[in-house]
Amino acid sequence: MSDDHVALITGASRGLGRAMAETLAAQGFRVAINYASSHDAACAVRDRIVAAGGRAEVFAADVTDESAVTELGAAITETLGPVDVLVLNATGPQPAIPIEDLEWSDMLQQLEFFVKSPLLLTRAFLPTMKSRGWGRIIQIGSEVFTIGNANSSAYVSAKGAQLGLTRSWARELGPYGITVNLVAPGWIPVERHEGTAEEDFAGYLRDVPLGHMGTADDVAGAVAYLASDAGRFVTGQQLSVNGGRTFG
Ligand SMILES: NC(=O)c1ccc[n+]([C@@H]2O[C@H](COP(=O)([O-])OP(=O)(O)OC[C@H]3O[C@@H](n4cnc5c(N)ncnc54)[C@H](OP(=O)(O)O)[C@@H]3O)[C@@H](O)[C@H]2O)c1
């Protein structure tokens, strides 16, 4: 069924998004690889997918910018077809900021990625999904909202807002055959975590029942399940991919 569908993964030039793009392409989805500035890295992801027999193309766009999202929608539709699987994954920096130093602009910076961008992208592709009576919206949240990490309230609250969008949109869009879910990874080492001290991993792993760090492929597998036909009766849910570190 997946070769009828086009999946857009925001922020797929590296990290978790790259694995999601490769996994969805391997399952037969035509894949739109979005990135902000890492053109060469995004092209390398596309080239690997194409070499493996998949279909993919790269699309530069700042997904927090309204006109850029409008142009992105038009470009993908022209190249690959209309998007009906939307994976809201892109993130900017997530600085640790204690409350005394926290500005409203710090809050807004996180809300741009985790509320504004999901809204812009969902609005852009909703007409296609509604007209098909089929769609998948998959938000990439985080375990930080369940845990409530200190010194991270801008990021944590924006991730919580993403879960709120997921639940409300699931009820609003269910009647149109569109599912809306959130995948909540634990700490999954990606490129930006290179150089992390072993003792930091060891400290984190004390609370992970499965006893090892997860991989980007673990998160991509959960996304692929929700995008697939097997996930058709699942909506409004948070699926934690963190080795059991949190329940729910
Ligand atoms: N890795 C973890 O441990 C972890 C844990 C929990 C949740 N998460 C969540 O998983 C998602 C992916 O995280 P990650 O660790 O894979 O991040 P990452 O490695 O830092 O990758 C971020 C991606 O977002 C893109 N991006 C940045 N600004 C953008 C913009 N304005 N418009 C479009 N794309 C933009 C980047 O593209 P450029 O390279 O072009 O800048 C890059 O492809 C995020 O939502 C994050 O909150 C991650």
Side-chain angles (χ1 to χ4, degrees):
M1 71 118 197
S2 39
D3 53 354
D4 296 337
H5 300 293
V6 175
L8 164 61
I9 298 100
T10 67
S13 57
R14 60 189 155 95
L16 304 185
R18 176 193 51 73
M20 293 169 202
E22 293 182 355
T23 298
L24 289 180
Q27 307 230 325
F29 292 92
R30 279 169 278 151
V31 168
I33 299 162
N34 160 253
Y35 65 100
S37 56
S38 303
H39 177 73
D40 291 350
C43 289
V45 178
R46 176 200 56 200
D47 293 348
R48 266 198 305 279
I49 289 173
V50 171
R55 179 121 187 251
E57 196 42 88
V58 300
F59 299 89
D62 174 357
V63 291
T64 68
D65 180 275
E66 186 153 6
S67 57
V69 167
T70 303
E71 286 168 26
L72 174 68
I76 299 172
T77 303
E78 192 179 321
T79 312
L80 295 175
V83 169
D84 53 8
V85 178
L86 181 52
V87 185
L88 300 159
N89 169 75
T91 182
Q94 304 152 8
I97 309 176
I99 298 167
E100 287 82 353
D101 300 331
L102 194 61
E103 302 289 344
W104 177 235
S105 57
D106 298 314
M107 291 288 195
L108 278 179
Q109 197 180 2
Q110 299 303 320
L111 293 171
E112 295 260 335
F113 277 96
F114 303 126
V115 177
K116 182 183 179 188
S117 177
L119 171 63
L120 296 177
L121 287 154
T122 298
R123 251 181 9 202
F125 298 114
L126 208 46
T128 296
M129 295 188 199
K130 279 188 169 178
S131 70
R132 292 190 166 183
W134 193 97
R136 299 279 195 268
I137 298 172
I138 303 167
Q139 311 237 28
I140 308 304
S142 171
E143 70 174 11
V144 299
F145 180 62
T146 302
I147 291 171
N149 300 35
N151 298 309
S152 298
S153 52
Y155 180 62
V156 170
S157 53
K159 285 295 184 189
Q162 244 188 323
L163 185 58
L165 293 179
T166 300
R167 291 176 175 169
S168 178
W169 289 354
R171 288 195 192 278
E172 189 170 336
L173 301 179
Y176 301 94
I178 300 166
T179 67
V180 188
N181 290 288
L182 180 141
V183 172
W187 180 11
I188 309 288
V190 292
E191 293 89 324
R192 68 187 162 91
H193 298 117
E194 271 162 26
T196 300
E198 274 311 312
E199 69 226 43
D200 291 342
F201 289 128
Y204 180 86
L205 285 173
R206 276 197 284 276
D207 293 329
V208 178
L210 287 180
H212 61 86
M213 301 300 287
T215 66
D217 285 341
D218 293 326
V219 181
V223 169
Y225 160 68
L226 291 169
S228 75
D229 200 43
R232 64 187 175 272
F233 202 53
V234 177
T235 196
Q237 302 304 308
Q238 168 171 285
L239 176 51
S240 296
V241 182
N242 63 0
R245 192 159 185 259
T246 58
F247 299 131

